[in-house]
Amino acid sequence: MKRTNLALRSALSRRAFLGTTAGATLVAAAPVKLLAADPIKTAGIYTVPVEQQWVSRIHKAAVTAQDRGDISYTYSENVSNTDYTRVMREYAEQGHKLIIGEVFGAEQEAREVAAEYPDIAFLMGSSFKEDAGLPNFAVFDNYIQDASYLSGIIAGAMTNSANIGMVGGFPIPEVNRLMHAFMAGAHEMNPDIKFQVSFIGSWFDPPKAKETAFAMIENGADVLYAERFGVSDAAQEKGILAIGNVIDTQGDYPETVVASAIWHFEPTLDAAIAQVQAGSFAAADYGTYSFMKEGGSSLAPLGTFEGKVPQEALDLVNTRTEEIKSGAFSVEINDEEPKSS
């Protein structure tokens, strides 16, 4: 098929791209009429294993949708960024009507492929916003800053050294906003807390994350923010505490992981499925479906740490949770790279 010439072919800067779509949240432009099968033939394309925290939430939601009969689901994992568009085309040519995944490392190329298949709905994790000129390409992100803030409150109450280590993958908005929210929550409990912040340059390198965490522990951290796999292993070995991210890993670290900010992808995927079924899928930003008030995020149960977290912190968590859900309190969304204190 002839490739559509997108405006994205010009230099793609995040600020420039966001500027062209500022304030556009779930505002559909010229809906694309898609003939949705029942169940919808759906494919997932992931650059990491489906066990990885972030992707596991998308995979879980897709399996749930398949189990209830809304979609038929297949997926490819460990797809390199350079191979991503080839896999997109293969699934498109196989007749899939909904393709989900994450294109953080192949933004422009993925959008150009989507333009070649206007009758297919693409729902992709992205650092950028939707483009009105590409009506079949919707974006999402894990805006779980609400739950991250609440987990920060607990961390702030549990640290004795007022020194918290934070290990992330890359300093991109998807990570930065959660770190900032966590730090804000911790500071609400103790404004004197200091943070050690480091990025390992990988989405899946547990040994490197573990070594980075060890260095932070040596430098005085007694609570770790485990944005990556491997951090909680270091905390467990050294007998300190950790806070989880995206998934609840307390079952694997029952004496280590105090709390976790959980991402629920189901509201995001279910909204897209409904649009495909209605034949009205369109360019939109599905990011708000990750907000706590939409059911897209939550704080995991304390489990083994019931009775071990100070009541003052629990009271504040309960208050803020109700205020977040009612709209009385908003957690700041800060996408700038966080720095060590």
Side-chain angles (χ1 to χ4, degrees), residues 12-22 127-128 335-337:
L12 184 60
S13 74
R14 181 171 188 274
R15 291 187 179 277
F17 193 83
L18 289 175
T20 64
T21 56
S127 293
F128 301 97
D335 289 347
E336 298 299 318
E337 180 177 345

Side-chain angles (χ1 to χ4, degrees), residues 1-5 9 88-97 111-120 122 136:
M1 295 184 180
K2 184 178 179 181
R3 180 174 297 181
T4 302
N5 182 24
R9 193 176 296 280
M88 286 178 69
R89 286 192 177 94
E90 285 185 357
Y91 279 131
E93 292 294 337
Q94 291 168 12
H96 290 85
K97 288 300 181 182
R111 291 169 188 258
E112 291 177 352
V113 171
E116 298 174 10
Y117 300 95
D119 293 331
I120 297 175
F122 292 85
N136 64 322

